[in-house]
Amino acid sequence: MREAAFAKQNKNKWLQFENILSNKTTVNPNELSDLYIEITDHLSYVKTFYPNSNTERYLNQLASKAHLKIYTTKKESKNRLISFFKTEFPTQFYHHQRELLIAFLVFALFCIVGAYSAAHEGDFVRAILGDGYVNMTLENIENNDPMAVYKKMGEVNMFLGITINNIKVALMAFVYGILFGVGSLFVMMQNGIMLGSFQYFFYDKGLFWESARTIWIHGTFEISVIIIAGCSGLVVGNGILFPGTYTRLESFKRGIVNGLKILLSTIPFFVVAGFLEGFVTRHTEMPDWLAIFIIGSSLSCIVFYYIIYPNQLHKKLTKTLTPN
C-alpha cells in the first residue's frame, strides 16, 4: 500500500485520537490504552514500509503524547480481572461479530445435517453417539426415566468432569484456528452433527420436550460458548489469511492474542454450565416453568454479554471519539 493511501485510510482515526489528547477529553483509561496500541501498531507498520517519512514523524509524536498521558494518569487497577470482563474484552469483541455469526451458522447448519441424517439413516445415531450410549438410553426410556444418565454420577465428579471436558473442546476449537480457521469450523461441524442427531433421537422416541427441557438447562451455556470458542479460532485464522495493513506475522500475533481473550471469556460460562449439569439438570422432576426460566435466563445472559453489550460499548466509545 502506498504511503498516501495508508494515511488517507487512517487519517480520521488519527485526528480523533489527537483531539482526545489535545483537548484533554475524559476517556476511560482502558479505552485510551486500546487506542494507543492501535496507533503504535500503525507506527510500527510505517517504520517498516515508510521509514523517515512525515507519516512516521507524525505518528511518533502522537504515540509519545499518548504514552505520556496514559502512564502519568492511569493507575494500575487492583481489579484487573473485573476490568477485563467489564470493558476490555467486550470492547474488543465488537470487532469479531462476523466470526461469531459464521461459527453459529456453520454449527446450526450441521445440526440440521445431523438431524436429517439421523432421520434417514437408521444406524447414524449409533455411529455418532456410540452403541453404549444409545443402548443405555433405550434402557432408561424403558424404565420411564429417559434422562437418568444425568443421575448416574455424583454431583461434584460430574461438575468437574464436564467442565474440564468442555474447556478441552473449546481449547481445541481455538488451537485448530491455526489451520486457517478450517480446523475450528471442523470442530463446529462435529459438535453440530452430534447435537442434531442426539436431539432427533429423542424426538423419534416421542421425548423431544422431555429431552429439550432437561438438556438445555446446561446446554444453553455449554453450546453457546463452544460456538464462541469456534469464533476465537476463526479470529486466529483470519489473522493469518487477512493481515490488512499489518505484516502477516504481526497480524497472526494479534489474532492469537485476540482469540485467546475470547477463549478466556468463555471459562466462567463453562464453569456455570458444568455446575448446572452436575447439580441441577439431574432434577428432572422440576416444573416446566423453572426449566424454561433457567434456559431463558442463560440465553439472555449470552446474547447480552456477547452481542448487545459490546455494541453498547462501541457506540459509547464512538460518541466519545467524535470531535465536537
Side-chain angles (χ1 to χ4, degrees), residues 118-119 199-208:
Q199 199 67 82
Y200 181 83
F201 172 71
F202 285 101
Y203 168 79
D204 189 50
K205 302 300 178 184
L207 295 166
F208 177 78

Side-chain angles (χ1 to χ4, degrees), residues 24-320:
K24 299 181 179 180
T25 306
T26 301
V27 179
N28 183 296
N30 289 318
E31 295 173 356
L32 184 60
S33 293
D34 290 339
L35 290 169
Y36 170 69
I37 290 171
E38 190 165 7
I39 292 297
T40 54
D41 284 338
H42 289 173
L43 176 60
S44 177
Y45 180 85
V46 168
K47 283 183 176 180
T48 301
F49 295 100
Y50 322 119
N52 302 316
S53 63
N54 289 332
T55 305
E56 179 186 347
R57 285 188 286 273
Y58 169 74
L59 289 178
N60 194 40
Q61 181 184 22
L62 194 60
S64 298
K65 289 172 64 178
H67 184 277
L68 181 64
K69 183 178 180 69
I70 291 170
Y71 292 99
T72 57
T73 60
K74 181 181 178 181
K75 297 180 181 179
E76 187 63 30
S77 173
K78 296 180 180 179
N79 299 311
R80 182 68 180 82
L81 195 60
I82 294 175
S83 176
F84 171 79
F85 283 101
K86 184 178 179 182
T87 56
E88 181 181 340
F89 168 73
T91 300
Q92 172 216 309
F93 192 69
Y94 170 83
H95 301 286
H96 303 303
Q97 301 287 306
R98 182 182 62 177
E99 289 91 338
L100 177 62
L101 178 61
I102 292 172
F104 170 75
L105 291 177
V106 170
F107 186 91
L109 171 64
F110 283 100
C111 276
I112 296 171
V113 170
Y116 181 84
S117 300
H120 291 82
E121 177 58 51
D123 294 330
F124 186 78
V125 174
R126 290 183 176 274
I128 297 298
L129 301 179
D131 287 332
Y133 181 84
V134 172
N135 291 336
M136 177 189 65
T137 303
L138 289 174
E139 183 179 341
N140 291 337
I141 292 172
E142 290 179 4
N143 294 331
N144 295 317
D145 194 2
M147 299 291 107
V149 64
Y150 296 107
K151 308 171 186 177
K152 298 286 187 182
M153 191 182 299
E155 289 94 335
V156 175
N157 288 337
M158 177 171 279
F159 162 60
L160 293 176
I162 292 296
T163 301
I164 292 171
N165 181 70
N166 287 339
I167 291 175
K168 285 181 179 179
V169 172
L171 186 60
M172 187 185 303
F174 167 70
V175 172
Y176 281 9
I178 201 172
L179 300 175
F180 308 104
V182 176
S184 301
L185 294 179
F186 178 75
V187 175
M188 296 300 97
M189 180 192 75
Q190 281 185 314
N191 285 272
I193 288 176
M194 187 179 299
L195 176 62
S197 59
F198 176 80
Q199 199 67 82
Y200 181 83
F201 172 71
F202 285 101
Y203 168 79
D204 189 50
K205 302 300 178 184
L207 295 166
F208 177 78
W209 173 245
E210 176 68 20
S211 65
R213 70 179 291 279
T214 302
I215 294 164
W216 288 97
I217 286 174
H218 63 270
T220 303
F221 274 131
E222 182 178 70
I223 297 302
S224 296
V225 288
I226 284 176
I227 293 171
I228 292 161
C231 167
S232 75
L234 292 181
V235 170
V236 175
N238 282 351
I240 302 172
L241 294 172
F242 308 108
T245 58
Y246 304 107
T247 63
R248 197 170 297 277
L249 177 59
E250 179 63 25
S251 178
F252 172 60
K253 289 191 292 186
R254 288 173 64 88
I256 289 288
V257 171
N258 291 337
L260 186 58
K261 288 181 179 180
I262 297 171
L263 182 67
L264 290 175
S265 79
T266 66
I267 292 177
F269 295 103
F270 275 130
V271 172
V272 174
F275 174 84
L276 289 173
E277 186 165 0
F279 291 90
V280 180
T281 300
R282 65 181 57 242
H283 295 287
T284 55
E285 76 283 356
M286 75 169 64
D288 286 352
W289 69 264
L290 181 55
I292 293 171
F293 174 77
I294 294 173
I295 294 169
S297 298
S298 301
L299 182 60
S300 298
C301 182
I302 289 292
V303 171
F304 175 78
Y305 187 68
Y306 285 98
I307 300 176
I308 297 174
Y309 186 50
N311 279 275
Q312 289 178 341
L313 287 181
H314 178 74
K315 289 179 181 178
K316 181 180 178 181
L317 179 60
T318 302
K319 185 177 181 180
T320 302

